[in-house]
Amino acid sequence: MTESKTDILIIGGGPAGMMTGITAAQFSPHKKVLVLRPETDAVIPCGIPYIFGTLGGTEEDLAGRAPLLAAGGQIQIGKVASIDRAAHTATLENGDLIHWERLVLATGAENFIPPIPGTQLEGVFSIHKDYDYLDQLFNTLIPKIKKLAIIGGGFIGVEFADEIRKRGIEVHIVEMLPHLMQAAFDLDACTAVEKQLQSHGVHIHTGCKVEALLAGDGQRVAQVQIAGQSSLAVDAVLIAIGTRPQVDLAKAMGLTLSRSGGIWVDAFQRSREDPHIFAVGDCAHKQDFFTRKASHAMIASQAAAEGRIAGMNLYGLRQLRTNAGSVSVYASEIDGLAFGVAGLTQHQAEQEGFPILIGEAQLPDHHPASMPGTTDILCRVIFAADSLQILGGQVLGGATTGELVNTIGLAIQMHATAPDLVSMQFGSQPRLTPSLHPLVAATGNALQKHYVLLHPCVEDSQ
Amino acid sequence: MTESKTDILIIGGGPAGMMTGITAAQFSPHKKVLVLRPETDAVIPCGIPYIFGTLGGTEEDLAGRAPLLAAGGQIQIGKVASIDRAAHTATLENGDLIHWERLVLATGAENFIPPIPGTQLEGVFSIHKDYDYLDQLFNTLIPKIKKLAIIGGGFIGVEFADEIRKRGIEVHIVEMLPHLMQAAFDLDACTAVEKQLQSHGVHIHTGCKVEALLAGDGQRVAQVQIAGQSSLAVDAVLIAIGTRPQVDLAKAMGLTLSRSGGIWVDAFQRSREDPHIFAVGDCAHKQDFFTRKASHAMIASQAAAEGRIAGMNLYGLRQLRTNAGSVSVYASEIDGLAFGVAGLTQHQAEQEGFPILIGEAQLPDHHPASMPGTTDILCRVIFAADSLQILGGQVLGGATTGELVNTIGLAIQMHATAPDLVSMQFGSQPRLTPSLHPLVAATGNALQKHYVLLHPCVEDSQ
């Protein structure tokens, strides 16, 4: 047992923890920053599906320590057994004691395993953000699989399906909702993704509720039992239906949890009980940007944003939170078909009670469209019909889709309105961009409907 | 001679005129919209350099009439001889008379030809946005050229140089300033562009003032005489040093011009003399977003934005201008090296008197960087040091550079501050985007300098 002292102790080495550490080391250069994590090596979370196809190995998805070390922070491998809040100490499982001035919990999330029979069988797995676990999966389990069922048709399920089918494995996605990706996108994007996956040989079973996983001879999974259907014969099952905040340590410390299940935090990521104790990332409470309801979005970039806010505010409140909560901004791609979303979908906006105004535009992503490598972009934008504030947007397109939804995300966070966006100035270049920005084009379409419906005959009053 | 009547007459069929026409037809569906232009066929302005290389022909850069016709507008080929403001009529050169209710001038710009000897020689040309002219250039002049001098190292000169060298022509760029692209970019981007062009065999002569163009035998250009240097032997010269508003018709109509040389317009693109007469695009006055000084930026996307504003406001003010003026947003690419800029450069900001705060970040455009097709992005952001409002940004990178500078452009137009941008939420996906948004990373670098310099010991006051 050893005893040591740090100024800032960060528990967890995922995107939230690492970004807190980097930011803290940069903004408090005289303080000692230590990130403590159980994994010897960390992986980049959103790169995990690509380990099994495009990248071809776990070592290609390593999250480097270099940025943290370069900023002046340190890493220690270890697991915390308990925290003494009054004494400002952490005791590790090996008995080591660490004194701290500021504590940041970045303990992440754990996979949600549904309460159905058979999830403990051999061959049933979920994705853990742990290098050694994933490496074993890659080298031991995956090479034996011939027929895989993925339970859950969200981002992880869809990306994993398209990567693993490249290894010649027969892949089935089983989704309870009527469409894949339905929690994140409106119907046209969902069906485009389904079509793309099917064209690659992925089998899709939507509207299907899994009742049980059944073993064959011995303890290995052999069947997925679907309500009202014949069973699906498989030799492995990936469960990818979501995650929950990992808050065991926070509970043991007596920290207040929020209605989302995450650790209660204020606008600066501080816990309710102690302004010297912070929480960031998947383990911390989030609320929706528009409604302030509990939000269950868990994305690395948001975790990193919270890490930056905490890292700057550990010793004095320097960085005010300039937005009201979480905005979902996601994108992905399946072999050339990119799809992205920012903010609310039409379905979500209508469910919340917003009267909405929708604009759509379809246009080539280069101009003239005869430029090499031109792909079509479909952009849909959703505004609050009364204030004309932007609520969300979706993009189906090519290589620029990720940055396009990031632009829509910024527009949402800056409270842009349709009049702001329809006269937005932008660059337009044949090799790089469309002649008309998709966000401007779709906004113009929305305003056309709005004005022409609202004042059909304004042009007669000259 | 015929006499006809339209409701909305738009003079000029470039991006400003066409966008006005499309918007007017959409927002005033009961009105007759007519675009009158001299060119039988129009080209896409920023596609022009690519006619001579990538596209391989003028017909590949046609600007279609379809969007205007689909919206319900019409096109007529013809040239206006005079306007009678009191009678609300236009007389064409062929004697035809057109009655109008609303008139929109979209007469564009003309090339600036410097007052040096020899610009009238055979083989000396500039770029006109006219299909027939460009087609003749492509089919008649260009095939005869072996050695071309381009006078002017801005966007047109640089893009044209890289395209025309693909035809095996020896290309020399002659620029008066110490670097190419210097009016638009800070030094690192300028030198990156120079290096890329040189690696493709383009000869660069910077800090060189052209004194005269000299003929050989007969009337054909043979030499470019550069101050203090030996002459450069060529067989053709492209003059690409800028454009000026084409305001002959506006002058003849007695409309007020602005200090920029463009037609005076209010926030709704209306002329000073008559609220029924509008001007849009390169022929209309522009002012800078930050300083409200006269701005000489002439870009198609800005022209189109003005067309949208005018098109919505012809019969009642429906679309308020939500920004103070022009924000430059440009991007281009030379064989894989993309470069873009939004807002002020460091040099421009300093010249205006802003105390500035600069942030920089260099990062791969995909993560993990082992993903196929990964390119580095270099992002530099400039803030006003006191208000922390974003003034500008530059990007050197790959395929997403165009959309990245569009995001920076939106941030400028929405008056985003460094605290807004450092905690911006964004999507991050291995196939599409970096792990950290370049704008967020560069902003973090700026704030680190700002806070650590401003309050070096805030962390000691716990």
Side-chain angles (χ1 to χ4, degrees):
Chain A
M1 177 199 142
T2 66
E3 193 167 337
S4 62
K5 186 191 169 317
T6 186
D7 296 314
I8 299 161
L9 177 63
I10 299 159
I11 301 177
M18 292 299 271
M19 187 54 79
T20 307
I22 292 166
T23 309
Q26 287 171 338
F27 283 79
S28 296
H30 307 297
K31 294 291 181 180
K32 197 174 159 192
V33 175
L34 179 66
V35 172
L36 183 74
R37 70 176 188 209
E39 309 89 6
T40 315
D41 287 301
V43 291
I44 299 174
C46 44
I48 294 174
Y50 301 102
I51 293 172
F52 302 95
T54 305
L55 292 173
T58 318
E59 68 282 3
E60 298 295 329
D61 192 41
L62 265 178
R65 304 168 175 210
L68 177 68
L69 301 182
Q74 297 188 322
I75 287 195
Q76 183 177 326
I77 310 306
K79 214 168 166 193
V80 174
S82 66
I83 299 286
D84 186 331
R85 271 169 45 198
H88 277 205
T89 55
T91 305
L92 307 199
E93 287 190 344
N94 68 0
D96 286 356
L97 191 78
I98 303 175
H99 294 266
W100 48 265
E101 256 177 23
R102 298 288 183 275
L103 181 72
V104 182
L105 297 177
T107 48
E110 58 194 358
N111 289 308
F112 176 63
I113 304 298
I116 54 170
T119 56
Q120 80 299 341
L121 292 172
E122 275 173 39
V124 179
F125 64 104
S126 56
I127 299 294
H128 300 284
K129 300 167 193 168
D130 178 309
Y131 185 90
D132 294 335
Y133 172 87
L134 291 167
D135 207 42
Q136 205 195 340
L137 204 62
F138 182 79
N139 288 310
T140 311
L141 178 61
I142 302 283
K144 291 183 197 148
I145 299 177
K146 292 200 173 60
K147 196 168 168 186
L148 172 73
I150 299 176
I151 301 181
F155 276 97
I156 293 178
V158 160
E159 291 176 352
F160 204 91
D162 191 56
E163 290 294 309
I164 205 115
R165 64 94 192 159
K166 294 177 185 167
R167 304 178 73 87
I169 296 171
E170 182 180 322
V171 177
H172 295 256
I173 303 180
V174 186
E175 166 61 49
M176 204 161 64
L177 294 173
H179 289 280
L180 300 188
M181 308 293 302
Q182 200 175 341
F185 286 90
D186 286 322
L187 199 59
D188 43 1
C190 300
T191 53
V193 169
E194 289 167 359
K195 221 172 125 186
Q196 186 84 342
L197 282 171
Q198 279 165 335
S199 77
H200 291 165
V202 173
H203 303 264
I204 297 175
H205 310 260
T206 47
C208 289
K209 188 166 157 46
V210 174
E211 290 185 326
L213 307 178
L214 307 175
D217 299 337
Q219 280 304 302
R220 191 167 176 91
V221 70
Q223 303 277 340
V224 178
Q225 186 181 310
I226 299 173
Q229 297 195 12
S230 57
S231 287
L232 185 66
V234 296
D235 53 16
V237 173
L238 164 60
I239 298 179
I241 57 173
T243 56
R244 288 179 169 179
Q246 168 49 267
V247 290
D248 292 348
L249 190 61
K251 271 187 190 163
M253 290 166 65
L255 297 184
T256 300
L257 300 187
S258 257
R259 58 201 188 284
S260 62
I263 302 165
W264 188 98
V265 287
D266 69 8
F268 308 97
Q269 304 299 135
R270 297 182 297 191
S271 68
R272 174 166 280 170
E273 282 69 22
D274 188 339
H276 296 167
I277 299 178
F278 294 68
V280 294
D282 289 356
C283 69
H285 173 67
K286 289 171 211 344
Q287 63 182 29
D288 183 72
F289 182 84
F290 297 103
T291 63
R292 307 203 182 184
K293 284 182 180 174
S295 161
H296 295 90
M298 292 189 188
I299 54 177
S301 55
Q302 188 172 317
E306 294 179 2
R308 274 189 294 279
I309 291 171
M312 293 168 75
N313 290 329
L314 291 169
Y315 292 91
L317 299 183
R318 298 198 270 202
Q319 168 67 17
L320 270 77
R321 182 182 286 271
T322 60
N323 66 58
S326 298
V327 179
S328 300
V329 190
Y330 301 103
S332 190
E333 197 220 47
I334 300 174
D335 273 344
L337 174 80
F339 44 102
V341 58
L344 301 178
T345 62
Q346 175 179 354
H347 178 71
Q348 289 162 352
E350 285 171 345
Q351 269 207 323
E352 288 298 344
F354 283 107
I356 59 171
L357 177 68
I358 295 184
E360 284 186 328
Q362 181 154 19
L363 67 180
D365 68 352
H366 296 89
H367 72 289
S370 46
M371 288 296 284
T374 299
T375 309
D376 254 21
I377 295 177
L378 178 67
C379 180
R380 158 185 285 197
V381 196
I382 296 159
F383 296 96
D386 296 306
S387 68
L388 294 181
Q389 195 173 321
I390 185 169
L391 298 175
Q394 284 165 71
V395 176
L396 275 177
T400 57
T401 300
E403 295 306 342
L404 282 171
V405 295
N406 284 343
T407 304
I408 297 174
L410 177 62
I412 293 168
Q413 290 166 74
M414 295 304 297
H415 306 280
T417 63
D420 292 329
L421 295 174
V422 81
S423 56
M424 176 172 101
Q425 300 170 66
F426 56 88
S428 157
Q429 210 281 340
R431 286 201 178 281
L432 300 168
T433 47
S435 62
L436 189 49
H437 196 287
L439 179 54
V440 175
T443 303
N445 177 248
L447 280 180
Q448 181 194 354
K449 294 179 199 163
H450 178 68
Y451 289 137
V452 175
L453 290 177
L454 217 59
H455 306 291
C457 289
V458 67
E459 66 265 33
D460 296 332
S461 62
Q462 62 162 310
Chain B
M1 178 197 140
T2 65
E3 193 168 337
S4 62
K5 186 189 170 317
T6 186
D7 296 315
I8 300 162
L9 177 62
I10 299 159
I11 302 177
M18 291 298 272
M19 187 54 79
T20 308
I22 292 166
T23 310
Q26 288 172 337
F27 283 80
S28 297
H30 307 298
K31 295 291 180 179
K32 195 175 160 193
V33 175
L34 179 66
V35 172
L36 183 74
R37 71 178 187 208
E39 310 89 4
T40 315
D41 286 302
V43 291
I44 298 172
C46 44
I48 293 174
Y50 301 101
I51 292 173
F52 302 95
T54 305
L55 291 174
T58 319
E59 68 282 3
E60 298 294 330
D61 192 42
L62 266 178
R65 305 169 174 209
L68 178 68
L69 301 181
Q74 296 187 323
I75 288 195
Q76 184 177 327
I77 310 305
K79 213 166 167 194
V80 173
S82 66
I83 299 287
D84 186 331
R85 271 169 46 198
H88 277 202
T89 56
T91 305
L92 308 197
E93 287 190 343
N94 69 1
D96 286 357
L97 190 78
I98 303 175
H99 295 266
W100 48 265
E101 255 177 23
R102 297 287 184 274
L103 181 71
V104 183
L105 298 177
T107 49
E110 58 195 356
N111 289 308
F112 175 61
I113 304 298
I116 54 169
T119 56
Q120 81 298 342
L121 292 172
E122 275 172 40
V124 179
F125 64 106
S126 56
I127 299 294
H128 299 284
K129 300 167 192 167
D130 177 307
Y131 184 90
D132 294 334
Y133 172 87
L134 291 167
D135 207 40
Q136 205 195 342
L137 204 61
F138 182 78
N139 289 311
T140 311
L141 179 61
I142 302 284
K144 291 183 197 149
I145 298 177
K146 293 198 171 63
K147 196 168 169 187
L148 171 73
I150 299 175
I151 302 180
F155 276 96
I156 292 179
V158 160
E159 291 177 350
F160 204 90
D162 191 56
E163 289 295 307
I164 204 117
R165 63 95 192 159
K166 293 177 186 167
R167 304 179 74 85
I169 295 172
E170 182 179 322
V171 178
H172 295 255
I173 303 181
V174 186
E175 166 62 49
M176 206 161 62
L177 294 173
H179 288 281
L180 300 187
M181 309 293 303
Q182 200 174 342
F185 286 90
D186 286 321
L187 199 60
D188 43 359
C190 300
T191 53
V193 169
E194 290 167 0
K195 222 171 123 184
Q196 186 83 344
L197 282 171
Q198 279 165 335
S199 78
H200 292 164
V202 173
H203 303 262
I204 296 175
H205 310 260
T206 48
C208 288
K209 188 167 156 44
V210 174
E211 289 184 325
L213 306 178
L214 307 175
D217 299 337
Q219 281 302 304
R220 191 169 175 90
V221 70
Q223 303 276 340
V224 177
Q225 187 180 309
I226 298 173
Q229 296 196 13
S230 57
S231 287
L232 186 65
V234 295
D235 54 16
V237 174
L238 165 60
I239 298 178
I241 58 174
T243 56
R244 289 180 169 179
Q246 168 48 267
V247 290
D248 292 347
L249 190 61
K251 271 187 191 164
M253 289 168 64
L255 298 183
T256 300
L257 301 186
S258 257
R259 59 200 188 283
S260 63
I263 302 165
W264 189 99
V265 287
D266 69 8
F268 308 97
Q269 305 297 137
R270 297 182 297 190
S271 66
R272 174 168 279 171
E273 282 68 23
D274 188 338
H276 296 167
I277 300 179
F278 294 68
V280 293
D282 290 355
C283 70
H285 173 68
K286 291 171 209 346
Q287 63 181 30
D288 182 73
F289 182 83
F290 297 103
T291 64
R292 306 203 184 184
K293 284 182 180 173
S295 160
H296 295 91
M298 291 189 187
I299 53 177
S301 55
Q302 189 171 318
E306 294 178 2
R308 274 189 294 278
I309 291 171
M312 293 167 75
N313 290 329
L314 290 169
Y315 293 91
L317 300 183
R318 298 197 268 202
Q319 169 67 16
L320 270 75
R321 182 182 285 271
T322 59
N323 67 58
S326 297
V327 179
S328 300
V329 191
Y330 301 103
S332 190
E333 196 220 45
I334 300 175
D335 272 344
L337 174 78
F339 43 104
V341 58
L344 301 179
T345 62
Q346 176 179 354
H347 178 72
Q348 289 162 351
E350 285 170 346
Q351 268 207 324
E352 289 297 344
F354 283 108
I356 58 171
L357 176 69
I358 295 183
E360 286 186 328
Q362 182 154 20
L363 68 180
D365 68 351
H366 295 89
H367 72 290
S370 46
M371 288 296 284
T374 298
T375 308
D376 254 22
I377 295 178
L378 178 67
C379 180
R380 157 185 286 197
V381 196
I382 297 159
F383 296 95
D386 296 305
S387 67
L388 294 181
Q389 195 173 319
I390 185 169
L391 298 176
Q394 284 165 70
V395 176
L396 275 176
T400 58
T401 300
E403 295 306 341
L404 282 171
V405 295
N406 284 343
T407 305
I408 298 174
L410 177 63
I412 293 169
Q413 291 166 72
M414 295 305 296
H415 307 279
T417 64
D420 291 329
L421 295 174
V422 81
S423 57
M424 176 172 103
Q425 299 171 67
F426 55 88
S428 158
Q429 210 281 341
R431 286 201 178 280
L432 299 168
T433 47
S435 61
L436 189 50
H437 196 286
L439 179 54
V440 175
T443 302
N445 177 249
L447 280 180
Q448 181 194 354
K449 294 179 200 165
H450 178 67
Y451 288 137
V452 174
L453 290 178
L454 216 59
H455 306 292
C457 288
V458 68
E459 66 264 32
D460 296 330
S461 62
Q462 65 160 310

